[in-house]
Amino acid sequence: MFCLNENNIYHLYSQGIDMRKGVEGLCGIIRTYQYSPTNQEVYVFANKSRTLVKMLHWERGGFVVYYKRLEQGRLSPSIFHHKNATVFIDIRWDEMVLLMEGIRLGTKRRKRYNIIKEKL
């Protein structure tokens, strides 16, 4: 059952990883940066080519790994623009959904219609 929602805290790893890593390998990366993998937060990882995503989450009784492989296209490159900042970037639920759907986080929408108000 998919138990992720807007109440979770999401940490996006800003560097590409080897996706052959399992739960122990991902936990090792998390512990390297003084985070705790069992704190019920969600850790999001992508490979260097941005075609694979893994999310690691601790639930009662054990770890859950969500895995997504894109059949076409890639994830937005904006996830790798934070290399000089911190290694884990906190993102919100809505940003996470947009990222997983392939929508760029920084794009601005153009207005479709231009409504003119007339003075009465």
Side-chain angles (χ1 to χ4, degrees):
M1 184 171 189
F2 195 70
C3 295
L4 302 180
N5 56 39
E6 64 273 356
N7 296 327
N8 295 105
I9 298 172
Y10 297 88
H11 302 288
L12 177 66
Y13 190 66
S14 63
Q15 300 172 6
I17 66 163
D18 180 7
M19 287 308 234
R20 294 176 289 182
K21 291 186 183 295
V23 172
E24 294 302 322
L26 296 175
C27 287
I29 293 172
I30 295 167
R31 287 186 185 110
T32 300
Y33 297 101
Q34 282 74 39
Y35 287 90
S36 173
T38 58
N39 60 3
Q40 298 183 357
E41 296 175 358
V42 181
Y43 297 91
V44 183
F45 301 92
N47 64 341
K48 288 181 183 179
S49 63
R50 301 182 323 270
T51 57
L52 303 170
V53 177
K54 281 188 181 180
M55 292 185 276
L56 181 67
H57 177 59
W58 172 263
E59 292 181 1
R60 271 182 300 159
F63 285 103
V64 178
V65 176
Y66 299 101
Y67 181 83
K68 182 173 184 174
R69 183 182 77 183
L70 300 176
E71 292 297 322
Q72 293 180 346
R74 297 170 186 239
L75 292 174
S76 171
S78 64
I79 64 173
F80 292 103
H81 289 309
H82 302 281
K83 287 184 179 178
N84 295 333
T86 59
V87 177
F88 279 101
I89 303 159
D90 294 339
I91 60 173
R92 299 185 318 261
W93 166 251
D94 57 342
E95 292 174 334
M96 181 67 203
V97 171
L98 292 175
L99 180 71
M100 295 304 287
E101 292 299 322
I103 301 171
R104 289 183 177 224
L105 301 177
T107 57
K108 296 182 181 178
R109 295 186 63 158
R110 290 185 277 161
K111 293 182 181 178
R112 185 171 176 168
Y113 299 104
N114 199 1
I115 300 173
I116 300 173
K117 293 183 180 180
E118 295 181 25
K119 294 183 181 180
L120 298 175

